[in-house]
Amino acid sequence: MRGRIRTDATAQIIGEGLVGGKTIENLTKGEDTAAAQATLTGANITPVSATLFLDVDALLLGLDPQGRFFSHDKLEGVAVLDGGRQIVISNDSDFGVSGVTNQSPPWLLQAKISPATGLQDDGEYLVIDTSRLPAATSTATVTIHVSG
């Protein structure tokens, strides 16, 4: 999750989303963030602001510094449930395929392997209960006596 976005600001976009006859994308084309912000402000457009809500990467690395827990390279789906108490994220596994291994048919598919686990990537989802953050881990030693 990147963050919360404020959407209470209003923008003066006339007609079909054009500013001075240009789309916002064309109005700011080629500009860096600071220049684009100045251009939009000059056109009386207030860009939304964002603040960090949940750093998923830090959360996952806090649970496993080697990155093996939910070890996917990109997220695809995000859902917010229970009034924001639960966040469900799903990965984009690319169907477990990273590409082809040859240049001509018949195509041989190459498995998409997680560098953290050494296993083929597959579809997975993770439910984060925000009421239980920050996440905590613990270690316990259990002694088992087997008699036979």
Side-chain angles (χ1 to χ4, degrees):
M1 296 291 300
R2 290 281 185 227
R4 294 181 181 188
I5 298 176
R6 269 190 59 211
T7 58
D8 58 342
T10 59
Q12 294 292 326
I13 300 178
I14 309 302
E16 297 181 15
L18 301 179
V19 178
K22 295 181 179 181
T23 64
I24 291 175
E25 293 82 6
N26 283 330
L27 186 67
T28 59
K29 187 174 184 176
E31 295 182 346
D32 63 19
T33 301
Q37 180 117 17
T39 299
L40 293 173
T41 300
N44 293 317
I45 297 173
T46 305
V48 297
S49 61
T51 56
L52 184 63
F53 176 69
L54 176 63
D55 187 338
V56 174
D57 191 45
L59 173 65
L60 296 175
L61 288 174
L63 294 171
D64 180 4
Q66 293 179 322
R68 296 168 300 197
F69 186 77
F70 203 76
S71 67
H72 305 289
D73 60 343
K74 53 190 173 184
L75 302 180
E76 183 166 6
V78 177
V80 179
L81 306 174
D82 196 15
R85 198 183 117 243
Q86 290 185 326
I87 298 171
V88 182
I89 57 175
S90 65
N91 70 305
D92 182 351
S93 67
D94 297 319
F95 302 103
V97 176
S98 67
V100 295
T101 61
N102 56 331
Q103 299 296 319
S104 60
W107 306 113
L108 300 175
L109 301 179
Q110 181 171 335
K112 181 179 178 183
I113 305 297
S114 166
T117 64
L119 301 173
Q120 184 173 5
D121 199 4
D122 60 1
E124 185 176 16
Y125 70 92
L126 176 67
V127 179
I128 302 168
D129 184 341
T130 61
S131 70
R132 298 184 68 187
L133 294 177
T137 60
S138 61
T139 303
T141 301
V142 177
T143 303
I144 300 173
H145 296 281
V146 178
S147 60

